[in-house]
């Protein structure tokens, strides 16, 4: 098994754990981003951490996006206490729409033998719409700059 295959398997598995924690029925891009941020010592995790997006930072950004979305339809989370999500009884194994889009971006246009762990982060950051881009934008993260650094890392790394 290659380094990428091991990393990819870990991200999918841990993405499922994150989805289960959130009570989600499927694995979405936000769960994959949380999994990437949790993989201590990897290049994608270090790049996220440098931007202030360790696992807790990603979770906080996603929470901010949730609250912002509710506020945009007139629901204020300050007016009441939201219950924590109930964890799902079992870990989801299926990908939701945004999770499938991440997978498509990883494997489209890349040769399998050239894939690196950073390709997962690149695929997540390339989303132009959805929960992850909104969360990062609300946090003030320079997504374009982060993406450029990730692409540069892949371009300059050989394995």
């Amino acid at each position: 098994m290659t380094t990428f295959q091991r990393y990819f398997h870990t991200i999918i598995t841990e993405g499922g754990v994150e989805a289960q924690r959130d009570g989600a029925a499927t694995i979405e891009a936000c769960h994959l981003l949380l999994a990437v941020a949790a993989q201590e010592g990897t290049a994608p995790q270090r790049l996220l951490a440098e931007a202030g997006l360790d696992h807790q930072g990603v979770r906080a950004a996603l929470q901010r996006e949730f609250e912002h979305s509710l506020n945009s339809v007139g629901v204020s989370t300050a007016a009441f206490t939201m219950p924590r999500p109930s964890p799902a009884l079992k870990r989801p194994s299926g990908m939701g729409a945004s999770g499938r889009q991440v997978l498509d971006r990883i494997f489209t246009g890349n040769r399998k033998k050239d894939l690196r762990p950073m390709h997962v982060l690149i695929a997540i950051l390339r989303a132009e719409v959805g929960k992850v881009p909104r969360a990062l934008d609300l946090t003030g993260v320079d997504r374009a700059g982060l993406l450029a650094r990730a692409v540069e890392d892949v371009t300059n790394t050989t394995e």
Side-chain angles (χ1 to χ4, degrees):
M1 195 179 259
T2 67
T3 300
F4 176 77
Q5 289 169 330
R6 281 190 299 279
Y7 179 81
F8 183 72
H9 175 76
T10 299
I11 294 303
I12 298 299
T13 301
E14 292 303 313
V17 170
E18 294 290 351
Q20 181 180 19
R21 225 176 256 142
D22 285 348
T26 57
I27 303 167
E28 298 291 349
C30 59
H31 302 121
L32 298 175
L33 181 60
L34 284 163
V36 169
Q39 300 310 304
E40 294 288 329
T42 63
Q45 179 271 331
R46 284 191 300 271
L47 185 60
L48 286 172
E50 288 170 11
L53 293 169
D54 59 6
H55 187 266
Q56 185 176 345
V58 171
R59 175 91 38 213
L62 292 169
Q63 181 62 33
R64 184 176 297 140
E65 187 279 333
F66 176 71
E67 291 170 4
H68 179 77
S69 293
L70 286 177
N71 283 332
S72 70
V73 294
V75 177
S76 171
T77 56
F80 56 92
T81 304
M82 293 284 296
R84 293 190 53 92
S86 298
L89 296 176
K90 66 178 197 164
R91 186 178 334 145
S93 58
M95 287 286 162
S98 65
R100 284 192 307 272
Q101 289 171 343
V102 169
L103 298 182
D104 287 345
R105 285 190 292 270
I106 292 169
F107 294 107
T108 300
N110 293 310
R111 296 183 311 192
K112 283 186 181 181
K113 70 177 190 149
D114 294 336
L115 289 172
R116 306 281 181 266
M118 193 64 80
H119 283 97
V120 176
L121 181 57
I122 290 169
I124 294 168
L125 293 174
R126 282 201 167 137
E128 295 180 18
V129 296
K131 180 184 271 191
V132 170
R134 283 192 309 270
L136 297 180
D137 289 347
L138 286 168
T139 305
V141 170
D142 176 11
R143 282 189 305 123
L146 195 58
L147 177 59
R149 289 182 59 205
V151 169
E152 181 181 345
D153 181 87
V154 164
T155 305
N156 295 331
T157 301
T158 57
E159 197 171 291

